[in-house]
Amino acid sequence: LEYLLRHDNKKLLEQEIQRLSAEVQSLKNPQSLSPSPRLEELREENARLKYRLNILKRSLEEERTHCTKSMMNINQRLQEIFGEAIRASCPDLDNPPLAVTPNQQPKFGDYQCNSAMAMAQMLKTQGVKANPREIAQKIIQNLPDNELIQKTEIAGPGFINIHLKRMFVSKLLTNLLINGVQPPPLASRKKVVVDFSSPNIAKEMHVGHLRSTIIGDSMCRLFEFLGYDVLRLNHVGDWGTQFGMLIAHLQDKFPDYLTVSPPIGDLQAFYKESKKRFDEEEDFKRRAYQCVVRLQSKEPDFIKAWNLICDVSRKEFQKVYDCLDIQIIERGESYYQDMMTEAVKEFEERGLVQQDEGRKIVFAPGQPIPLTVVKSDGGYTYDTSDLAALRQRLFEEKADVIIYVTDSGQGTHFQVVFAAAQMIGWYDPQVTRVEHAGFGVVLGEDKKKFKTRSGDTVRLMDLLEEGLKRSMDKLKDKERDKVLTPEELIKAQRAVAFGCIKYADLSHNRINDYVFSFDKMLDDRGNTAAYLLYAFTRIRSIARLANIDEATLRKAAETTEVLLDHEKEWKLGKCILRFPEILQKILDDLLLHTLCDYLYELATTFTEFYDNCYCVEKDRQTGEVVKVNMWRMLLCEATAAIMAKGFDILGLKPVQRM
């Protein structure tokens, strides 16, 4: 309630400022005033309005600096400030470019506004000569009063270098320490559906499913942290003609399957056997097709056989999900069976279906290929299934955002499905975000598609177990088994093994292919989970080694100013506070490697700080703590808090001791 009142108050203040600003501008304009005895009176009114305007602006600044629990997105706030200045500088320019970025060279400031050059170019195309440096000067002159800019400078052809107020950055760090890592306030709690993992029943999960599972889970974690209502869906392949051959083979191999649960230990081998028979035995093939028809008619014995096969697969999938700490709701193709009929009917009623050699197809405008919504034998396809699923997610789930995490090879398929859904009016892309987040293939160290030596697909459980073995070897090489309890060693083993597999995937741009290498991912140097997990454990141990407990740190956060006088303190403080900007960027482009790069930068920036700034000073002879620089301990604490939240979004599990 307090937040809503403040939020409404802030909106009213902003509206009043805009109204008064417009009134002040009109009073400044001499053309609008004819000489009259009221001129002096209007001048007085103008002065009063200016006075009121300044009071309201100060109130708004107080609202902004009021210690909300949320972390401020500094880049976004600078964009608001410079956006206002740019509009005031060139009011005749439609949609002037707004470019504010962190400065790559700290000696030139903390952030940089690069809009002046692009604005000069826009004016030039309109036949107006403009000097970018003069435009930059105008922008600076029109900067509104604000809480965070110390000074600005014009550099080169028209760059505006921005220096932040150290006291303001210090206050933001204190806010973070007191309230924890809080997401920015949400205007409305949107519904997000993420379709990821999606293996096929009766087939082993392979590295493609591993990528989809890891990337999709991390996207869900990001949306959940930001406060969205997230539905995590596993669109498994659990329907179709392959179930005919599986059921026919089940009937032959385990004729008593209805009363005795069949011991299908290796479903992959079972699938291969049935496929071989399907390809070689005409009589078996005929029976398999009959089984499909009877399954689709939902005959109880066939539904039971189908459920038995699905359950064996689910148990195998769950082993992988348990290792990787994945929460997901299964909603396979079978879930949408009845909805497919409705979806096709809707396209037919709108006259959007064409006949093509017995098939029913739909052409979407501007798309290279049609969708096949009904096959010549009357059956449905992946196209029909995905249309029905999209329709259900839009109309029943009322999703505001729908994301499909599958390999990039399916990009064209989803592009056509989305175009067809827009054509029939199911959603407006300006209102609802429907997106395919594609990813590249996993390569072996020979740069070829990742397979076993015999050329088979790598079983995911084999891969995860190999990770566990190598992780334990690594920990023993570092002699961690001599200092950790058996329980701590197992926790560290799982954290390193599964964390490294996830991070190796997420730290690469998902659009590109990536090379899977246990040696690289378990290396504790460079941008790897192993390095970050060790760095995090080391940061967390600083307070423990100085005998400072959590209660003392909490009290210090409320009473101790975070000093940022040393250049390494200043660099670390700014890096910590870039976290909301990083999350906003990922929200826009769904590229999670940005977060990995940021966490690596944060860890290396912390190391620079720790090497140059003593947090704890000890007696050289006795090793006793003689002095604790508490503001630096707080910087350690803030770094660890951001790293922990970053790990949580990536699905990594740090441990207290490693």
Side-chain angles (χ1 to χ4, degrees):
L1 182 63
E2 184 190 347
Y3 164 72
L4 289 171
L5 287 169
R6 263 207 319 277
H7 189 69
D8 288 345
N9 191 23
K10 185 174 146 189
K11 273 177 80 174
L12 288 168
L13 286 170
E14 284 175 336
Q15 286 166 2
E16 184 69 0
I17 285 170
Q18 284 172 355
R19 189 184 69 75
L20 291 173
S21 295
E23 208 167 325
V24 169
Q25 285 299 119
S26 71
L27 290 169
K28 278 183 184 173
N29 186 357
Q31 281 80 22
S32 68
L33 298 173
S34 52
S36 77
R38 286 197 64 234
L39 186 57
E40 202 55 42
E41 196 182 317
L42 287 167
R43 281 194 178 125
E44 283 177 20
E45 177 65 11
N46 185 18
R48 277 198 301 275
L49 284 169
K50 275 186 172 177
Y51 176 72
R52 275 188 67 199
L53 184 60
N54 285 332
I55 286 176
L56 283 168
K57 279 186 174 177
R58 275 201 300 275
S59 293
L60 189 57
E61 291 312 320
E62 282 168 21
E63 278 293 326
R64 289 191 196 281
T65 53
H66 184 85
C67 209
T68 61
K69 287 189 176 182
S70 301
M71 284 185 76
M72 176 186 277
N73 183 330
I74 294 174
N75 194 312
Q76 206 169 58
R77 178 71 188 110
L78 287 170
Q79 286 187 28
E80 288 171 15
I81 292 164
F82 275 85
E84 194 178 323
I86 285 166
R87 285 189 295 276
S89 306
C90 288
D92 299 331
L93 213 54
D94 285 335
N95 294 320
L98 178 58
V100 178
T101 56
N103 215 323
Q104 297 307 311
Q105 298 184 58
K107 62 179 178 181
F108 295 127
D110 307 310
Y111 284 79
Q112 194 174 71
C113 175
N114 305 330
S115 299
M117 288 78 74
M119 288 166 71
Q121 199 59 42
M122 281 177 79
L123 288 166
K124 192 177 172 184
T125 59
Q126 294 176 11
V128 180
K129 279 191 177 179
N131 179 329
R133 282 186 70 93
E134 287 174 8
I135 293 173
Q137 189 58 50
K138 266 191 189 177
I139 293 170
I140 287 173
Q141 285 166 356
N142 282 290
L143 282 173
D145 290 340
N146 63 83
E147 72 281 21
L148 73 163
I149 298 174
Q150 179 69 43
K151 64 172 181 172
T152 52
E153 300 156 339
I154 299 169
F159 300 113
I160 301 173
N161 289 328
I162 306 159
H163 297 261
L164 300 176
K165 288 179 181 172
R166 296 205 176 205
M167 183 59 78
F168 182 73
V169 170
S170 176
K171 278 183 184 170
L172 291 182
L173 289 166
T174 297
N175 182 35
L176 161 65
L177 287 158
I178 292 170
N179 297 306
V181 186
Q182 299 290 338
L186 269 186
S188 61
R189 191 164 187 250
K190 292 183 175 178
K191 177 77 174 275
V192 180
V193 172
V194 184
D195 177 326
F196 68 106
S197 195
S198 310
N200 288 309
I201 295 290
K203 291 185 182 177
E204 293 281 5
M205 285 180 82
H206 56 71
V207 286
H209 297 127
L210 179 67
R211 288 213 80 185
S212 175
T213 304
I214 289 169
I215 295 166
D217 176 59
S218 192
M219 284 180 188
C220 291
R221 287 168 178 271
L222 173 65
F223 281 111
E224 284 159 355
F225 169 64
L226 294 172
Y228 292 86
D229 176 13
V230 181
L231 178 59
R232 300 155 155 260
L233 288 186
N234 199 1
H235 189 82
V236 296
D238 67 350
W239 204 252
T241 51
Q242 78 271 24
F243 280 94
M245 68 184 195
L246 288 165
I247 292 169
H249 190 51
L250 180 75
Q251 289 171 335
D252 290 349
K253 199 163 181 181
F254 305 107
D256 57 352
Y257 75 90
L258 289 170
T259 52
V260 180
S261 188
I264 308 173
D266 188 343
L267 197 56
Q268 185 78 353
F270 187 84
Y271 181 88
K272 283 180 181 174
E273 287 167 16
S274 65
K275 181 78 171 77
K276 189 171 186 292
R277 291 185 69 191
F278 186 82
D279 292 339
E280 294 173 3
E281 301 172 26
E282 274 306 312
D283 181 51
F284 181 81
K285 192 174 195 173
R286 225 177 358 262
R287 258 192 327 120
Y289 279 128
Q290 286 167 1
C291 288
V292 173
V293 173
R294 296 179 77 176
L295 173 64
Q296 289 175 342
S297 302
K298 301 198 174 156
E299 288 187 29
D301 289 1
F302 289 82
I303 288 289
K304 178 160 188 186
W306 171 73
N307 270 322
L308 285 168
I309 293 162
C310 289
D311 283 344
V312 176
S313 262
R314 278 189 199 107
K315 282 173 189 156
E316 290 304 307
F317 299 159
Q318 197 56 46
K319 287 178 189 173
V320 172
Y321 297 144
D322 288 345
C323 283
L324 298 174
D325 189 27
I326 306 294
Q327 304 297 319
I328 195 163
I329 293 167
E330 185 185 304
R331 201 178 276 178
E333 289 173 324
S334 60
Y335 181 86
Y336 303 99
Q337 283 309 295
D338 297 337
M339 301 175 202
M340 292 190 210
T341 309
E342 290 300 312
V344 173
K345 187 179 168 191
E346 196 173 330
F347 274 92
E348 285 180 320
E349 285 171 352
R350 298 281 292 277
L352 298 170
V353 174
Q354 297 178 28
Q355 295 287 337
D356 178 61
E357 296 179 352
R359 297 182 307 153
K360 291 182 180 180
I361 61 172
V362 171
F363 278 99
Q367 296 307 314
I369 51 170
L371 293 172
T372 300
V373 293
V374 182
K375 293 188 291 184
S376 54
D377 65 2
Y380 294 134
T381 66
Y382 284 128
D383 295 350
T384 334
S385 168
D386 281 329
L387 278 172
L390 179 54
R391 183 172 177 262
Q392 190 274 340
R393 291 162 187 180
L394 288 164
F395 294 108
E396 289 183 31
E397 301 300 341
K398 295 185 169 43
D400 302 290
V401 180
I402 306 172
I403 295 162
Y404 294 80
V405 187
T406 72
D407 65 88
S408 296
Q410 295 185 52
T412 304
H413 162 72
F414 282 112
Q415 182 184 311
V416 182
V417 169
F418 300 161
Q422 287 169 46
M423 172 181 74
I424 201 169
W426 286 351
Y427 78 96
D428 175 358
Q430 300 298 316
V431 178
T432 308
R433 180 181 183 181
V434 180
E435 197 169 327
H436 174 234
F439 53 81
V441 297
V442 182
L443 306 173
E445 293 190 65
D446 57 0
K447 304 285 170 72
K448 291 178 183 170
K449 224 170 178 182
F450 192 60
K451 290 186 182 293
T452 63
R453 284 183 183 171
S454 61
D456 291 334
T457 303
V458 178
R459 286 179 74 246
L460 272 202
M461 275 315 296
D462 291 346
L463 191 82
L464 296 173
E465 280 162 13
E466 176 71 11
L468 284 169
K469 179 184 169 298
R470 291 193 184 219
S471 166
M472 183 59 83
D473 291 345
K474 184 85 178 175
L475 289 162
K476 285 181 176 174
D477 283 348
K478 294 173 78 73
E479 300 189 333
R480 306 313 295 156
D481 53 323
K482 293 178 181 173
V483 292
L484 300 177
T485 65
E487 189 185 9
E488 286 174 335
L489 188 63
I490 293 294
K491 276 188 178 175
Q493 177 197 23
R494 292 179 71 84
V496 171
F498 303 142
C500 285
I501 289 169
K502 287 183 181 186
Y503 193 85
D505 194 319
L506 296 167
S507 61
H508 289 82
N509 185 326
R510 66 172 161 77
I511 295 162
N512 303 331
D513 298 345
Y514 99 95
V515 175
F516 190 98
S517 163
F518 274 121
D519 289 340
K520 280 183 187 167
M521 65 177 71
L522 288 164
D523 196 338
D524 51 15
R525 294 159 301 175
N527 189 6
T528 65
Y531 167 73
L532 287 174
L533 288 166
Y534 284 123
F536 177 80
T537 305
R538 196 173 70 249
I539 296 166
R540 274 278 184 244
S541 70
I542 295 166
R544 190 172 66 245
L545 295 171
N547 296 318
I548 299 169
D549 59 19
E550 277 188 40
T552 307
L553 281 168
R554 272 200 305 274
K555 191 172 181 190
E558 292 169 6
T559 56
T560 307
E561 183 188 341
V562 181
L563 301 175
L564 301 165
D565 299 334
H566 194 286
E567 62 164 321
K568 300 300 181 187
E569 293 171 341
W570 179 235
K571 186 179 178 184
L572 179 60
K574 287 185 299 175
C575 189
I576 290 166
L577 295 175
R578 276 192 24 241
F579 187 59
E581 300 170 24
I582 298 298
L583 298 191
Q584 184 57 52
K585 186 179 183 305
I586 301 167
L587 199 60
D588 295 339
D589 61 24
L590 302 176
L591 295 172
L592 289 149
H593 69 276
T594 307
L595 178 54
C596 299
D597 292 345
Y598 165 75
L599 290 174
Y600 180 60
E601 183 191 341
L602 181 60
T604 53
T605 304
F606 177 83
T607 302
E608 280 179 40
F609 153 78
Y610 194 66
D611 290 346
N612 287 275
C613 303
Y614 289 118
C615 298
V616 179
E617 296 177 35
K618 293 183 178 180
D619 185 289
R620 294 197 177 194
Q621 264 73 44
T622 63
E624 281 183 38
V625 174
V626 291
K627 186 182 178 187
V628 174
N629 294 319
M630 193 55 83
W631 78 94
R632 288 177 178 165
M633 293 301 299
L634 292 174
L635 276 170
C636 296
E637 194 65 14
T639 304
I642 293 290
M643 285 185 80
K645 184 49 69 180
F647 287 165
D648 190 45
I649 291 168
L650 296 172
L652 275 62
K653 280 194 168 178
V655 288
Q656 286 299 316
R657 296 179 67 206
M658 279 182 68

mmCIF file of all heavy atoms in Angstrom, residues 76-95:
data_model
loop_
_atom_site.group_PDB
_atom_site.id
_atom_site.type_symbol
_atom_site.label_atom_id
_atom_site.label_comp_id
_atom_site.label_asym_id
_atom_site.label_seq_id
_atom_site.Cartn_x
_atom_site.Cartn_y
_atom_site.Cartn_z
ATOM 1 N N GLN A 76 18.813 3.132 -16.787
ATOM 2 C CA GLN A 76 17.437 3.524 -17.113
ATOM 3 C C GLN A 76 17.135 4.934 -16.580
ATOM 4 O O GLN A 76 16.517 5.747 -17.273
ATOM 5 C CB GLN A 76 16.485 2.506 -16.498
ATOM 6 C CG GLN A 76 15.151 2.380 -17.202
ATOM 7 C CD GLN A 76 14.397 1.164 -16.678
ATOM 8 O OE1 GLN A 76 14.127 1.047 -15.477
ATOM 9 N NE2 GLN A 76 14.060 0.239 -17.551
ATOM 10 N N ARG A 77 17.595 5.212 -15.360
ATOM 11 C CA ARG A 77 17.369 6.536 -14.766
ATOM 12 C C ARG A 77 18.102 7.608 -15.563
ATOM 13 O O ARG A 77 17.551 8.692 -15.812
ATOM 14 C CB ARG A 77 17.850 6.516 -13.299
ATOM 15 C CG ARG A 77 17.702 7.845 -12.581
ATOM 16 C CD ARG A 77 16.255 8.198 -12.293
ATOM 17 N NE ARG A 77 16.140 9.546 -11.780
ATOM 18 C CZ ARG A 77 15.610 10.573 -12.429
ATOM 19 N NH1 ARG A 77 15.098 10.417 -13.635
ATOM 20 N NH2 ARG A 77 15.559 11.768 -11.891
ATOM 21 N N LEU A 78 19.329 7.321 -16.002
ATOM 22 C CA LEU A 78 20.074 8.278 -16.828
ATOM 23 C C LEU A 78 19.365 8.502 -18.167
ATOM 24 O O LEU A 78 19.345 9.615 -18.694
ATOM 25 C CB LEU A 78 21.502 7.785 -17.069
ATOM 26 C CG LEU A 78 22.461 7.862 -15.870
ATOM 27 C CD1 LEU A 78 23.755 7.129 -16.165
ATOM 28 C CD2 LEU A 78 22.751 9.322 -15.484
ATOM 29 N N GLN A 79 18.776 7.447 -18.693
ATOM 30 C CA GLN A 79 18.035 7.592 -19.958
ATOM 31 C C GLN A 79 16.823 8.509 -19.775
ATOM 32 O O GLN A 79 16.507 9.307 -20.660
ATOM 33 C CB GLN A 79 17.609 6.224 -20.478
ATOM 34 C CG GLN A 79 18.773 5.442 -21.072
ATOM 35 C CD GLN A 79 18.333 4.149 -21.733
ATOM 36 O OE1 GLN A 79 17.220 4.040 -22.214
ATOM 37 N NE2 GLN A 79 19.219 3.174 -21.767
ATOM 38 N N GLU A 80 16.160 8.391 -18.627
ATOM 39 C CA GLU A 80 15.023 9.302 -18.348
ATOM 40 C C GLU A 80 15.513 10.752 -18.331
ATOM 41 O O GLU A 80 14.901 11.642 -18.933
ATOM 42 C CB GLU A 80 14.404 8.972 -16.981
ATOM 43 C CG GLU A 80 13.605 7.690 -16.933
ATOM 44 C CD GLU A 80 13.207 7.321 -15.500
ATOM 45 O OE1 GLU A 80 13.305 8.185 -14.593
ATOM 46 O OE2 GLU A 80 12.811 6.155 -15.273
ATOM 47 N N ILE A 81 16.636 10.986 -17.617
ATOM 48 C CA ILE A 81 17.165 12.346 -17.455
ATOM 49 C C ILE A 81 17.603 12.915 -18.802
ATOM 50 O O ILE A 81 17.237 14.039 -19.175
ATOM 51 C CB ILE A 81 18.342 12.340 -16.448
ATOM 52 C CG1 ILE A 81 17.821 12.016 -15.036
ATOM 53 C CG2 ILE A 81 19.096 13.662 -16.456
ATOM 54 C CD1 ILE A 81 18.913 11.607 -14.057
ATOM 55 N N PHE A 82 18.377 12.127 -19.554
ATOM 56 C CA PHE A 82 18.878 12.615 -20.840
ATOM 57 C C PHE A 82 17.776 12.667 -21.898
ATOM 58 O O PHE A 82 17.807 13.514 -22.780
ATOM 59 C CB PHE A 82 20.063 11.756 -21.310
ATOM 60 C CG PHE A 82 21.367 12.217 -20.732
ATOM 61 C CD1 PHE A 82 21.773 11.788 -19.474
ATOM 62 C CD2 PHE A 82 22.172 13.123 -21.407
ATOM 63 C CE1 PHE A 82 22.954 12.237 -18.896
ATOM 64 C CE2 PHE A 82 23.352 13.577 -20.848
ATOM 65 C CZ PHE A 82 23.754 13.141 -19.598
ATOM 66 N N GLY A 83 16.792 11.768 -21.776
ATOM 67 C CA GLY A 83 15.649 11.817 -22.705
ATOM 68 C C GLY A 83 14.927 13.150 -22.598
ATOM 69 O O GLY A 83 14.585 13.784 -23.605
ATOM 70 N N GLU A 84 14.733 13.600 -21.347
ATOM 71 C CA GLU A 84 14.070 14.898 -21.111
ATOM 72 C C GLU A 84 14.907 16.045 -21.684
ATOM 73 O O GLU A 84 14.388 16.956 -22.341
ATOM 74 C CB GLU A 84 13.874 15.086 -19.603
ATOM 75 C CG GLU A 84 12.919 16.202 -19.247
ATOM 76 C CD GLU A 84 12.703 16.334 -17.731
ATOM 77 O OE1 GLU A 84 12.653 15.299 -17.034
ATOM 78 O OE2 GLU A 84 12.602 17.489 -17.268
ATOM 79 N N ALA A 85 16.234 15.977 -21.464
ATOM 80 C CA ALA A 85 17.134 17.041 -21.944
ATOM 81 C C ALA A 85 17.189 17.071 -23.474
ATOM 82 O O ALA A 85 17.209 18.137 -24.089
ATOM 83 C CB ALA A 85 18.530 16.828 -21.374
ATOM 84 N N ILE A 86 17.194 15.892 -24.084
ATOM 85 C CA ILE A 86 17.268 15.802 -25.554
ATOM 86 C C ILE A 86 16.003 16.367 -26.186
ATOM 87 O O ILE A 86 16.054 17.124 -27.156
ATOM 88 C CB ILE A 86 17.524 14.331 -25.981
ATOM 89 C CG1 ILE A 86 18.984 13.954 -25.697
ATOM 90 C CG2 ILE A 86 17.190 14.103 -27.445
ATOM 91 C CD1 ILE A 86 19.268 12.462 -25.747
ATOM 92 N N ARG A 87 14.852 16.028 -25.605
ATOM 93 C CA ARG A 87 13.584 16.550 -26.156
ATOM 94 C C ARG A 87 13.520 18.072 -26.027
ATOM 95 O O ARG A 87 13.040 18.762 -26.924
ATOM 96 C CB ARG A 87 12.389 15.895 -25.446
ATOM 97 C CG ARG A 87 12.145 14.461 -25.878
ATOM 98 C CD ARG A 87 10.842 13.907 -25.324
ATOM 99 N NE ARG A 87 10.843 13.805 -23.867
ATOM 100 C CZ ARG A 87 11.345 12.779 -23.193
ATOM 101 N NH1 ARG A 87 11.890 11.769 -23.850
ATOM 102 N NH2 ARG A 87 11.306 12.746 -21.880
ATOM 103 N N ALA A 88 14.022 18.598 -24.912
ATOM 104 C CA ALA A 88 14.019 20.058 -24.713
ATOM 105 C C ALA A 88 15.018 20.742 -25.651
ATOM 106 O O ALA A 88 14.788 21.873 -26.089
ATOM 107 C CB ALA A 88 14.359 20.381 -23.262
ATOM 108 N N SER A 89 16.116 20.062 -25.996
ATOM 109 C CA SER A 89 17.157 20.643 -26.856
ATOM 110 C C SER A 89 16.718 20.707 -28.314
ATOM 111 O O SER A 89 17.039 21.656 -29.018
ATOM 112 C CB SER A 89 18.443 19.813 -26.781
ATOM 113 O OG SER A 89 18.850 19.671 -25.457
ATOM 114 N N CYS A 90 16.019 19.670 -28.772
ATOM 115 C CA CYS A 90 15.571 19.616 -30.173
ATOM 116 C C CYS A 90 14.098 19.224 -30.217
ATOM 117 O O CYS A 90 13.758 18.092 -30.590
ATOM 118 C CB CYS A 90 16.401 18.611 -30.962
ATOM 119 S SG CYS A 90 18.075 19.135 -31.283
ATOM 120 N N PRO A 91 13.204 20.147 -29.834
ATOM 121 C CA PRO A 91 11.781 19.783 -29.762
ATOM 122 C C PRO A 91 11.174 19.418 -31.118
ATOM 123 O O PRO A 91 10.152 18.746 -31.178
ATOM 124 C CB PRO A 91 11.117 21.038 -29.174
ATOM 125 C CG PRO A 91 12.103 22.141 -29.339
ATOM 126 C CD PRO A 91 13.446 21.527 -29.385
ATOM 127 N N ASP A 92 11.817 19.860 -32.216
ATOM 128 C CA ASP A 92 11.260 19.587 -33.554
ATOM 129 C C ASP A 92 11.679 18.219 -34.092
ATOM 130 O O ASP A 92 11.225 17.808 -35.162
ATOM 131 C CB ASP A 92 11.711 20.668 -34.557
ATOM 132 C CG ASP A 92 11.226 22.052 -34.129
ATOM 133 O OD1 ASP A 92 10.168 22.107 -33.464
ATOM 134 O OD2 ASP A 92 11.901 23.051 -34.438
ATOM 135 N N LEU A 93 12.560 17.534 -33.386
ATOM 136 C CA LEU A 93 13.077 16.252 -33.867
ATOM 137 C C LEU A 93 12.179 15.118 -33.369
ATOM 138 O O LEU A 93 11.976 14.960 -32.173
ATOM 139 C CB LEU A 93 14.506 16.063 -33.335
ATOM 140 C CG LEU A 93 15.509 15.300 -34.210
ATOM 141 C CD1 LEU A 93 15.613 15.891 -35.610
ATOM 142 C CD2 LEU A 93 16.876 15.313 -33.541
ATOM 143 N N ASP A 94 11.614 14.355 -34.326
ATOM 144 C CA ASP A 94 10.752 13.228 -33.950
ATOM 145 C C ASP A 94 11.597 12.031 -33.530
ATOM 146 O O ASP A 94 12.534 11.652 -34.238
ATOM 147 C CB ASP A 94 9.863 12.809 -35.137
ATOM 148 C CG ASP A 94 8.723 13.799 -35.338
ATOM 149 O OD1 ASP A 94 8.348 14.461 -34.366
ATOM 150 O OD2 ASP A 94 8.246 13.927 -36.483
ATOM 151 N N ASN A 95 11.248 11.420 -32.411
ATOM 152 C CA ASN A 95 11.968 10.251 -31.898
ATOM 153 C C ASN A 95 13.484 10.408 -31.936
ATOM 154 O O ASN A 95 14.189 9.641 -32.613
ATOM 155 C CB ASN A 95 11.578 8.989 -32.687
ATOM 156 C CG ASN A 95 10.132 8.630 -32.468
ATOM 157 O OD1 ASN A 95 9.623 8.737 -31.361
ATOM 158 N ND2 ASN A 95 9.464 8.225 -33.532
#
